[in-house]
Amino acid sequence: MGILLTGGIVVTAADTYPADVRLEGEKITAIGRNIAQDGDEPVNVAGCYLFPGGIDPHTHFDLPIGDMRTADSFASGSKAALIGGTTTIIDYATQFKGESLATGLTNWHALARDNCYTDYGFHMAITDWNDTIAREMKELVEEHGISSFKLYMAYKNVLQVDDGALLSAFRAAAGCGAILCLHCENGDVIDTLVRQSIGQGRTEPRYHAVSRPALVEEEATRRAILLAKMADAPLYVVHLTCAGALTAVEEAKRAGLPVYAETCPQYLLLDESYYEQAGFESAKYVISPPLRNRANQPVLWQGLTNHMLDTVATDHCSFHFSGQKDLGLHDFSKIPNGMPGVETRLSLLYTYGVAGGRINLNQFVALTATNAAKVFGLYPRKGTIAVGSDADITVWDPCYEGIISAQTQAQRVDYSPFEGFVQKGRAKYVYLRGRLAAGEGQLIASQADGQYLQRSPFRTGIL
């Protein structure tokens, strides 16, 4: 016996068409008309779009930062993701100083196992490069299905690696079928600017943005692209925010280099004016890279429409305003960087992208699911609606209207950066591998049975 979604409009990255979709077990078994079988359970989804379940390729759940952890665990974060229409997350497992990659991976499996309501995979963040890491990277690709690794060009003396390590990592990745994800900001320059600001008594949250100007992102992005080119390796630029960095990516793409880039809803919809709020309120928006001048937003939207930006992720890294962010009440450099967003990603991009006339439905699907699945070795199991693919389907009600508020969110954090934003459309039903898991803003799944996803090695020419 299967489930038959009837009367909806199927939307993939390439096509939009009316069709029924039949789910049986964990897979999509038929698409079309007159596909019902005896005993099927019909579900009327007339007037709704059928999107492949969203894939958020950039989350930080249960991440330790000094003596604290992010507000959202794998349980609360994945619940919020599922309610918002995302059925797969790829979180950043992290190797801290002195650890092996295997230790970092073991730690993250312990956090996620039996706690994740969505399916999940891991990137592996490398913060301590040494002679054994290249061998470990190969082992993670071949034995654990981890085909992407992250390095930081920022956070000096904590996470940042030097250019020599970056070049070595690019070469190792190219040799073992992996792609590097880079946080592109010049950490050395930022460190100097932060110390200057603090020394001059400029300690308010707004100086976080002043100490991380767009030029440090543009410079690091260009440097990362050149290092990747030297190593003949692919590159994925995370959370791109500004016109200068996007220009660097565009030049690389037009030159035929395997360079990919993501942006996030906060950079499409929020701007540096949020740092001018009274008191300490602007600490809610202390993220890295920071919010930019509003002039960058139309450039980023254009990047989405002309395929220069490949994915819209969240960089969900939530900290409570009270009790965590306020550790930096008298020193912006002590404010933990990050904000929530995994629950509102699809609704924001639909409202201000599709309904706002900036992107079409097929681009919406590509940016929220298909491209991430292709870049990170999950396609066609995930990221599309096709016979044989996992039955991850978000039934989208385009007629819903509401207001985003921390009072109604599932994210376990005490504020929403998008408080008061209008929302048009939401997930009416969310199916994870053929089971109804969420809908109408509520969790339906009774247990956290998300599966760990071993991903295929990176392949060139995927987009």
Side-chain angles (χ1 to χ4, degrees), residues 271-441:
D271 63 73
E272 63 184 6
S273 66
Y274 283 80
Y275 295 122
E276 300 303 323
Q277 297 181 79
F280 195 63
E281 279 294 303
S282 54
K284 295 175 179 177
Y285 303 91
V286 169
I287 58 177
S288 293
L291 303 178
R292 301 297 188 196
N293 185 284
R294 188 174 300 174
N296 291 281
Q297 292 180 356
V299 179
L300 296 181
W301 281 107
Q302 183 61 35
L304 297 179
T305 61
N306 65 12
H307 310 293
M308 293 297 118
L309 288 168
D310 302 290
T311 62
V312 175
T314 60
D315 191 11
H316 181 103
C317 189
S318 60
F319 294 98
H320 292 299
F321 181 60
S322 298
Q324 292 186 309
K325 289 278 190 179
D326 54 10
L327 293 176
L329 187 61
H330 303 295
D331 180 348
F332 72 85
S333 68
K334 296 180 180 179
I335 300 171
N337 289 197
M339 66 168 54
V342 74
E343 185 173 353
T344 52
R345 179 179 67 120
L346 295 187
S347 60
L348 288 169
L349 194 62
Y350 183 86
T351 301
Y352 298 96
V354 177
R358 292 184 171 103
I359 60 173
N360 62 40
L361 285 168
N362 308 108
Q363 290 169 328
F364 173 86
V365 168
L367 293 164
T368 60
T370 309
N371 289 352
K374 289 182 175 180
V375 171
F376 294 117
L378 291 171
Y379 189 85
R381 177 181 176 184
K382 305 287 189 182
T384 192
I385 295 178
V387 173
S389 295
D390 279 4
D392 297 347
I393 295 181
T394 295
V395 179
W396 194 262
D397 177 7
C399 297
Y400 173 85
E401 293 190 2
I403 301 294
I404 294 174
S405 173
Q407 296 299 314
T408 56
Q409 69 184 6
Q411 298 168 149
R412 193 177 63 188
V413 61
D414 62 0
Y415 76 99
S416 169
F418 301 101
E419 187 74 33
F421 271 57
V422 171
Q423 176 181 340
K424 295 182 179 179
R426 73 168 175 178
K428 184 178 180 67
Y429 306 121
V430 183
Y431 290 86
L432 173 64
R433 285 178 282 105
R435 294 189 301 279
L436 182 61
E440 306 285 10

Side-chain angles (χ1 to χ4, degrees), residues 60 108 115 118 138 162 165 200 224 227 263 338 360 363 382 401 432 447 458 463:
H60 298 282
W108 252 256
N115 290 313
T118 62
K138 187 173 187 292
D162 62 30
Q200 294 166 356
L227 288 169
T263 192
N360 62 40
Q363 290 169 328
K382 305 287 189 182
E401 293 190 2
L432 173 64
Q447 59 184 1
F458 174 81
L463 294 182

Side-chain angles (χ1 to χ4, degrees), residues 191-227:
D191 181 66
T192 297
L193 295 177
V194 168
R195 286 189 285 107
Q196 286 179 350
S197 290
I198 299 299
Q200 294 166 356
R202 298 174 177 177
T203 59
E204 297 92 338
R206 68 175 178 270
Y207 291 106
H208 170 77
V210 174
S211 69
R212 306 179 89 101
L215 283 175
V216 303
E217 181 183 351
E218 178 182 351
E219 184 277 331
T221 303
R222 290 188 177 278
R223 180 159 40 100
I225 290 168
L226 290 174
L227 288 169

